[in-house]
Amino acid sequence: MGYGNLLRADDGCGRLLAADLAKRLPPQRAQVLSAHQLTPELCLEIARESVDRALFIDVARHQQRPFVLHRIRPEGDKGRCGHQLSPELLLMLAQRLYGRSPRAWLLTLPAYRTTLGEELSRQAQAALPQALERCLALLEPSRRQSPKRNNP
Amino acid sequence: MSRTIHIEPITRIEGHAKISIQLDAQGRVADARFHVTEFRGFEKFCIGRSFWEMPGITARVCGICPVSHLLASSKAGDAILGVRTPAPAVSLRRLMNYAQLVQSHALSFFLLSGPDLLLGMDTDPAQRNLMGLIAAHPEIARGGIRLRAFGQHLIRTLGERSVHPSWSVPGGVRSGLNAEAKQKILGELPAMFTLVDQALDLFKDALDRLKDEVDVYGEFPSLFMGLVGEDGGLEHYDGRLRIVAADGKIIEDQVPPENFPELIAEEEEPWTYLKFPYYAPLGPEKGMYRVGPLARLNVCDFAGTRKADRELRQFRHYCAPGKPVNGSFFYHYARLIEILHALERIEELLGDDILDARHIRSRAGVNQNVGIGVCEAPRGTLFHHYQVDDHGLLEKVNLIIATGQNNLAMNRTIKQIAQRFLTAERLDEGLLNRVEHGIRAYDPCLSCSTHEAGRMPLHLELHGADGRLLDEAHRA
């Protein structure tokens, strides 16, 4: 699930990576979603019985490494809910409301340019292909050798 | 000595704001202000763009009700083209507008205001939140999420994406709806009606429990404005403007939306980026009006759908015969009735063969230099007013947004709540949340409503712990 604003340069990198993943992952085994922001109803998607792993893809400002991968778990974020949510809260909603929360990770890409426009920063452009391979290794471990290290 | 109490940030609303409450020397509430501290600049940076781009650009004003901006902007574009929008395109736009009402109202009622309404204003804040709501009423939280998903799915089916769809354009829409998608949506409707019925039952229970709040929140006379059909029925897409006074008298009726500048004037204050629209003939003091679900139900003669009309009759038990329901607490009730109405209208529209017609877009060039597009957004009447040159480039843009139109009433509501529930000696959580909830009842969208880049003078104040003014700075 890639999310961000495609008109805010690097902020949209999560969605660009999701679009690349959609081309590489078999549709019968993986559902790729792209969203402007995480909204409450998306918990219905990750609470499906057919979902055993979820990968959220976002950006982090001025991140040095091409990608950072974290295991994330359901967390209530003190129960605060607005029009957009954290991935941890989305997992918590899935667990509390539907009794299911898949194993989940958050992968962040570097964001150096978040001004209006679609042109990515040099760092973001360089990060995308590396992050794509890491995502494929995570989501399709049987087809690839999964690196033991989480982060480059 | 006077003292100012600040409450910030206001949680569970879109955007950022702060509230200040001014006490007098005796510690009584003298005034209360709702400060909106962000600005956007859409009215300025759109100048020079082509009006063809405006539906796509202005949809970006908001991630919650982009559809409203998309539609109002497309309608302004229709007027610039000077064409008749094909009837199937109008039906498809209506369908998307109703879908947005469902998703936006569902989020507001079930997930944002639900914790206050169903758990009580004095509940421990550690519990009075979404997780507390899930623990106490999981079926309500699930219901809110399902209704949201239903509305978002319908918007996505029509416009490819649920946030910022670029589907409606000047002259019509880009694509229709296929039979399979129609059947899928129709199949989901019965469950949606059940969810709203359950929520209505719970809300009516809450009305009994929260009598103190019901009697105070925004319970003051004001004008109400909204669109109505030619027959006076509830209208969300087309129609004409009607204004009803506090005594129930209709003071403006069947006013063509393009004549809105004769009805509405705007004031500014140095302490907020949010403007203060008012009914021009009565001036800023007496011309305070409210828009949105409560106003729409107050100005219409009937809803025009069976289930919503049944609820509307009950809704009107909360006011004297022939008078509007004044309490802003009833915005919540009005939202549920509007969800019901929207679901009924969606059912009607999906059963109409007109959606199968292929002619969904009229094509033309610039035939008019001024275009005004109006529709009812979830939060109230939305105006897009464009002036273009002969090439269609924008020379002037004016957006009048629902939240701004409720600004005077929101400030009045805060003052009223503070006067009723605040004592100088005690600032408890219950009071803070009541003030916040008074604002949340209007479901304001602050990112939409601020658009005065560069013109708003700023006034900064620095207060010491004892309330004394230590320093201040002005920017003209």
Side-chain angles (χ1 to χ4, degrees):
Chain A
M1 189 180 293
Y3 54 100
N5 187 342
L6 289 166
L7 296 183
R8 284 279 189 176
D10 293 355
D11 188 55
C13 276
R15 296 175 71 181
L16 296 177
L17 183 53
D20 288 341
L21 281 167
K23 291 176 197 156
R24 299 279 297 270
L25 291 167
Q28 68 276 19
R29 287 169 53 81
Q31 185 188 5
V32 179
L33 301 175
S34 177
H36 188 76
Q37 60 201 32
L38 297 182
T39 47
E41 68 278 6
L42 286 172
C43 74
L44 289 168
E45 301 291 339
I46 58 175
R48 289 177 197 274
E49 275 190 31
S50 57
V51 175
D52 73 336
R53 275 165 293 164
L55 173 65
F56 295 89
I57 311 172
D58 195 1
V59 298
R61 283 177 73 89
H62 306 304
Q63 178 179 296
Q64 298 287 323
R65 286 177 284 181
F67 62 84
V68 175
L69 187 65
H70 297 284
R71 181 75 196 273
I72 55 171
R73 291 180 171 75
E75 281 179 27
D77 195 21
K78 296 179 182 169
R80 289 180 66 169
C81 170
H83 296 112
Q84 55 182 333
L85 311 178
S86 66
E88 291 88 352
L89 184 53
L90 207 53
L91 292 169
M92 177 68 98
L93 286 180
Q95 185 175 71
R96 293 273 178 92
L97 289 172
Y98 304 102
R100 290 202 78 257
S101 176
R103 286 181 296 154
W105 290 264
L106 171 64
L107 183 138
T108 53
L109 293 153
Y112 281 82
R113 176 182 297 154
T114 53
T115 50
L116 292 171
E118 293 176 295
E119 191 184 347
L120 302 184
S121 68
R122 181 177 46 79
Q123 294 91 334
Q125 285 182 48
L128 278 169
Q130 294 182 59
L132 175 65
E133 291 308 315
R134 183 65 185 94
C135 290
L136 290 169
L138 179 75
L139 297 169
E140 289 274 274
S142 58
R143 292 175 52 188
R144 290 158 192 281
Q145 189 175 2
S146 177
K148 286 185 179 171
R149 285 185 306 134
N150 268 347
N151 302 311
Chain B
M1 183 184 297
S2 67
R3 195 154 69 96
T4 304
I5 298 163
H6 296 287
I7 304 173
E8 58 181 333
I10 310 302
T11 59
R12 287 183 263 144
I13 61 171
E14 181 67 9
H16 304 284
K18 94 176 169 180
I19 289 169
S20 64
I21 301 168
Q22 183 73 46
L23 303 181
D24 65 15
Q26 285 72 43
R28 292 175 305 212
V29 173
D31 199 5
R33 288 173 172 179
F34 179 52
H35 308 253
V36 179
T37 52
E38 62 180 3
F39 64 78
R40 305 295 299 283
F42 275 78
E43 289 178 334
K44 290 292 176 198
F45 69 64
C46 287
I47 289 173
R49 311 295 304 205
S50 165
F51 78 99
W52 291 104
E53 297 179 287
M54 289 299 276
I57 293 175
T58 57
R60 297 273 168 174
V61 169
C62 182
I64 307 308
C65 46
V67 169
S68 304
H69 290 283
L70 183 75
L71 296 183
S73 183
S74 298
K75 290 180 76 178
D78 295 347
I80 290 167
L81 298 180
V83 295
R84 183 185 294 274
T85 310
V90 171
S91 291
L92 287 161
R93 285 180 180 176
R94 283 181 181 276
L95 194 56
M96 188 182 266
N97 203 27
Y98 287 127
Q100 182 181 232
L101 270 186
V102 171
Q103 66 87 8
S104 178
H105 284 356
L107 182 71
S108 171
F109 180 86
F110 289 87
L111 303 181
L112 303 185
S113 293
D116 300 332
L117 294 172
L118 301 177
L119 304 178
M121 305 289 169
D122 291 310
T123 304
D124 178 355
Q127 303 298 320
R128 197 188 56 243
N129 54 39
L130 181 60
M131 290 307 153
L133 180 71
I134 289 172
H137 298 282
E139 73 291 352
I140 282 294
R142 277 193 291 267
I145 283 172
R146 276 201 74 186
L147 275 165
R148 268 277 294 184
F150 171 82
Q152 295 285 69
H153 172 69
L154 179 46
I155 294 169
R156 196 162 49 245
T157 301
L158 288 164
E160 287 189 5
R161 52 185 187 233
S162 53
V163 179
H164 306 147
S166 54
W167 163 83
S168 181
V169 291
V173 297
R174 291 183 196 274
S175 56
L177 189 63
N178 66 44
E180 190 187 344
K182 268 204 278 191
Q183 287 311 313
K184 188 166 186 291
I185 295 159
L186 280 168
E188 291 180 42
L189 274 170
M192 300 303 121
F193 282 118
T194 303
L195 290 172
V196 184
D197 286 342
Q198 290 168 348
L200 279 162
D201 284 346
L202 269 172
F203 178 74
K204 288 169 191 172
D205 288 346
L207 276 180
D208 295 336
R209 277 201 319 276
L210 298 170
K211 196 168 181 323
D212 268 4
E213 287 80 6
V214 172
D215 290 345
V216 172
Y217 283 30
E219 179 56 60
F220 50 75
S222 77
L223 309 177
F224 293 93
M225 186 179 80
L227 292 172
V228 292
E230 282 179 19
D231 53 6
L234 181 61
E235 178 59 55
H236 291 91
Y237 174 78
D238 260 329
R240 295 182 170 206
L241 294 165
R242 176 182 278 182
I243 297 179
V244 168
D247 61 1
K249 197 176 290 178
I250 295 172
I251 58 172
E252 298 281 357
D253 201 15
Q254 297 298 324
V255 178
E258 57 270 24
N259 292 357
F260 86 87
E262 295 166 18
L263 302 185
I264 300 170
E266 296 180 288
E267 270 209 331
E268 295 172 7
E269 292 289 349
W271 42 269
T272 177
Y273 282 109
L274 192 53
K275 288 194 282 191
F276 293 85
Y278 58 93
Y279 175 54
L282 292 183
E285 283 294 315
K286 293 182 177 172
M288 174 177 64
Y289 65 95
R290 284 180 268 189
V291 296
L294 179 71
R296 289 191 286 256
L297 295 193
N298 276 332
V299 302
C300 73
D301 296 330
F302 54 90
T305 55
R306 188 175 58 84
K307 291 177 181 178
D309 267 320
R310 190 180 60 212
E311 278 301 328
L312 183 58
R313 283 193 292 276
Q314 290 195 35
F315 172 84
R316 287 182 171 158
H317 290 165
Y318 293 96
C319 59
K323 295 197 173 172
V325 175
N326 276 323
S328 291
F329 203 87
F330 288 96
Y331 267 100
H332 300 302
Y333 192 4
R335 265 179 212 112
L336 288 176
I337 296 172
E338 284 204 324
I339 295 176
L340 203 52
H341 175 71
L343 293 173
E344 290 180 287
R345 287 294 193 212
I346 288 169
E347 192 170 34
E348 279 176 18
L349 286 163
L350 290 174
D352 190 338
D353 292 342
I354 198 170
L355 293 189
D356 301 330
R358 289 187 174 181
H359 181 48
I360 51 176
R361 184 171 177 182
S362 299
R363 294 173 193 275
V366 175
N367 286 303
Q368 308 285 340
N369 293 108
V370 174
I372 294 176
V374 181
C375 67
E376 287 289 343
R379 292 157 185 81
T381 321
L382 171 65
F383 298 87
H384 278 221
H385 182 184
Y386 306 155
Q387 185 175 314
V388 298
D389 66 13
D390 291 342
H391 304 289
L393 299 181
L394 286 149
E395 295 176 330
K396 188 178 168 189
V397 176
N398 187 21
L399 310 178
I400 300 185
I401 313 295
T403 296
Q405 294 172 83
N406 282 331
N407 197 9
L408 285 166
M410 284 192 290
N411 277 274
R412 177 82 178 268
T413 301
I414 297 163
K415 184 176 176 182
Q416 196 178 32
I417 292 170
Q419 284 174 329
R420 166 69 179 79
F421 292 102
L422 175 74
T423 56
E425 297 78 25
R426 192 158 167 262
L427 276 174
D428 58 28
E429 277 291 333
L431 169 85
L432 298 185
N433 199 53
R434 282 183 175 91
V435 171
E436 285 193 15
H437 191 92
I439 292 297
R440 259 199 306 279
Y442 295 86
D443 194 21
C445 185
L446 307 179
S447 54
C448 283
S449 55
T450 55
H451 43 77
E452 275 296 294
R455 282 188 55 200
M456 175 63 69
L458 291 176
H459 180 195
L460 283 80
E461 291 183 344
L462 179 65
H463 288 269
D466 61 356
R468 278 190 305 133
L469 186 64
L470 301 176
D471 196 9
E472 62 182 325
H474 292 270
R475 193 188 74 189

